[in-house]
Amino acid sequence: MKMLNSYGICLALLVLVIDCSFAPNAAAQASAPAKPLTIERIFTPGEMTGRGPETLEWSPDGTKLSYVQRDENGEGGELWYMDAATGEKKVLVTAAKLAALAPDYAKVKNEREKERLTRYHVAAYLWAPDSKHLIFDSQGQLWLYDLASNTAVQFTSAPDPSGDPKFSPDGNHVSYVRKHNLYVQPASGKGERQLTKDTKDDLFNGDIDWVYAEELAVRSNYFWSPDSKEIVFLHMDESKVPTYPITDWIPTHPTVDYEKYPKVGDPNPVVKLGVVNASGGKVHWIKLTDDEEMYIARFGWVRDGVIWVEVVNRTQDEANLYFVDAKSGKSRIVLTEKTPDAWIDFDRVEPRFLKSSGRFLWPSWRDGNMHLYLYSFEQQNPLGADAKLERQLTQGDFQVLGIDGVDEAAGAVFFACNKDDPRQRQLYSAKLDGSGLQALTHEEGMHFGDFADDGKHYVHTYNDTDSPPKTTVCAVGAACNPLWEARSVAEYNLAPTKFLEFKADDGTTLYGRLLLPPNPPAEGKIPVIVNIYGGPAAQMVLKAWGGSSSLFDQILARKGFAIFAVDNRGTPNRGRKFETAIRREFGAIELKDQLTALDQLLTQYPQLDKDRIAIWGWSNGGSMTVYAMTHSDRFRAGVAVAPVTNQINYDSIYTERYMGLLKDDPKGYAESDVTRSVDKLHGELMLAHGTSDDNVHFQNTIQMIDALIKADKHFRLMIYPNKTHSISGKDSRVHLFEMIEDHFERELK
């Protein structure tokens, strides 16, 4: 399930689920740990590595990088900036003012709102085009901040929250969404105008619903025209989308929040594009197709008067790029991308238009790997002909993981890729003329780049298996200035991780990792815990800093367990054939690869105990845990956190992308229902779930409990009241991971 967004610095659940351990130096291995490692310590924010900068944003002129820096307790936050050219740092907004303008998200009491803000990286502020003003979103009230006078003026004061604020390109107006409608106000703060006027709660104008945010990675649904005169927006009609009840059981009289959530086969939001003048007036609606089940995954402006739209069919194996005349509504398909027996990868298949010429970049895995292609079109008459393929910019047996920036003046594009090792992420550049593929980074590990609009400078964040993140600000091809570096973990003497390779039954290479106990028993064999994710949203085996998840592995290793993970076919960033091996099925190929690699591991490491093996995972990893324990007899124990137990329970966009439509494959969907196989459960199962999980609904665990009871199967259960999919917060995390540790101690020793 796409319970997580796939690439960022271990986005959301990936911080929990992607485990990579770290290799200390030889001297550190030889000595006893200088500091104890505890579950409470690893889940105390800032305790081990410090608290890094938050909400990094480039000023529009590319001269400054701004960021919020708080202390380790989340207090005393200040808004700083670094001069991109000199590395000089200064405070933009003091702690006293920032406390009111941008409070710490961790202090938001509503768990679902907290998850929305952190999971989707909702920015607390944005720059004005003049690079002299900021807009702060203070929990739904907007404030305009003047950097010259260091004063903030409240910009909105309505009782209902306003969100997704944007400056017009000329800086004269600010737009925002309130109660699913679009508003515009002069930057002076007087004369608010309501541009759309729907009154029903299930009609959205420029706002984003849950499924588009989660599964299409949509972060905004409206955009200003370059001349600041018009706004194009997405209208969503959710009236036919079923609701799911999320209950707060804590009050004496429980309350229920009804979430619009389309499950497999359900009606999706019906969407269309509208164009409205920024001064108000009638909305002009754009009709692209008669297919009400299509998705408008991406859209924006080609130039003044011309809109681009990426439309995807419900089976998600065809994307059409439209150019649309904003005034007449006339449209033309200028590019079609088809992926038979596969799917469109929304995290990457999005055009990047070049501002200075009639060209755009288009990612595609049409040759079997995700690469960049350059297209051109007639600037004066974009609808006059199909887009023309100029050239393929990258090629080879590797994946482009995302476009990070473009320097049009230098004719260069910057991107992340996994060239030479799919377990790493490096930054590269290539010339738009097809020449000059060049690595910007070289150290083994994970490199992330955030480029200024002009492509001259970038934020570089780096981590590897030995070291937590460090962040620098760099000029392309020149020096870097340090911004922040996490504290070293050398004093904890962490055990080294072994990176391994295995072969699937078809000869495909599978990558794995193994963490052995630092003090293995003199006699007897070592019990094994398999940590699994297994789905198309995340890799488990990366040469990366794994955060609290891999620190938990270290704790288990010190308890005498070996920790093993392998990326089966179906996990991302290995090319179309590898990723789409799981098309139209759930579990079978994944489990086959896991067991094949496990058998090879046991042969290579005879000190491991084949009779004492456990498995655990979160989200899709939880789903794979219950699947493995009901479809094999290899596991003595398992822990499934927030699992989908029947694929029909999960949302339409994600599940149908990989499984196909329910009406086309009812048998395949029926076989995905692990509650039908609970009579074959082997081993001691523990289930854990948050009652307010709006992603993988608590319903999944309830159905599993019902089936287990009817099958007379014993199990353990932990419910976290009002917690969402991430079960966040120190108290809940400590409790959960102590439960997991106790379960494995009980069942494997």
Side-chain angles (χ1 to χ4, degrees), residues 188-242:
S188 63
K190 298 178 181 179
E192 178 182 85
R193 292 189 297 272
Q194 184 175 349
L195 301 184
T196 62
K197 299 179 181 179
D198 283 324
T199 57
K200 295 182 179 180
D201 288 340
D202 50 18
L203 298 179
F204 289 20
N205 294 288
D207 210 350
I208 313 169
D209 75 336
W210 184 89
V211 76
Y212 263 56
E214 177 67 17
E215 306 303 2
L216 298 184
V218 172
R219 297 296 174 259
S220 186
N221 262 338
Y222 78 93
F223 302 97
W224 282 90
S225 62
D227 62 7
S228 300
K229 294 180 179 180
E230 296 178 297
I231 293 176
V232 60
F233 66 94
L234 190 69
H235 175 85
M236 309 183 80
D237 183 348
E238 302 229 310
S239 58
K240 295 181 181 179
V241 178

Side-chain angles (χ1 to χ4, degrees), residues 667-730:
K667 181 180 178 182
Y669 273 97
E671 291 173 350
S672 79
D673 182 0
V674 294
T675 66
R676 296 172 31 152
S677 306
V678 293
D679 59 317
K680 300 180 180 65
L681 178 71
H682 293 272
E684 298 299 321
L685 174 65
M686 173 183 154
L687 297 166
H689 218 128
T691 63
S692 290
D693 193 334
D694 59 1
N695 187 335
V696 180
H697 294 149
F698 184 47
Q699 169 191 39
N700 286 275
T701 288
I702 292 293
Q703 291 178 359
M704 190 69 181
I705 292 169
D706 183 55
L708 288 165
I709 292 170
K710 290 176 179 176
D712 193 27
K713 293 291 184 178
H714 297 134
F715 61 96
R716 300 179 77 192
L717 173 67
M718 190 59 229
I719 297 170
Y720 290 89
N722 289 346
K723 288 298 179 179
T724 58
H725 193 55
S726 61
I727 311 182
S728 63
K730 176 187 172 183

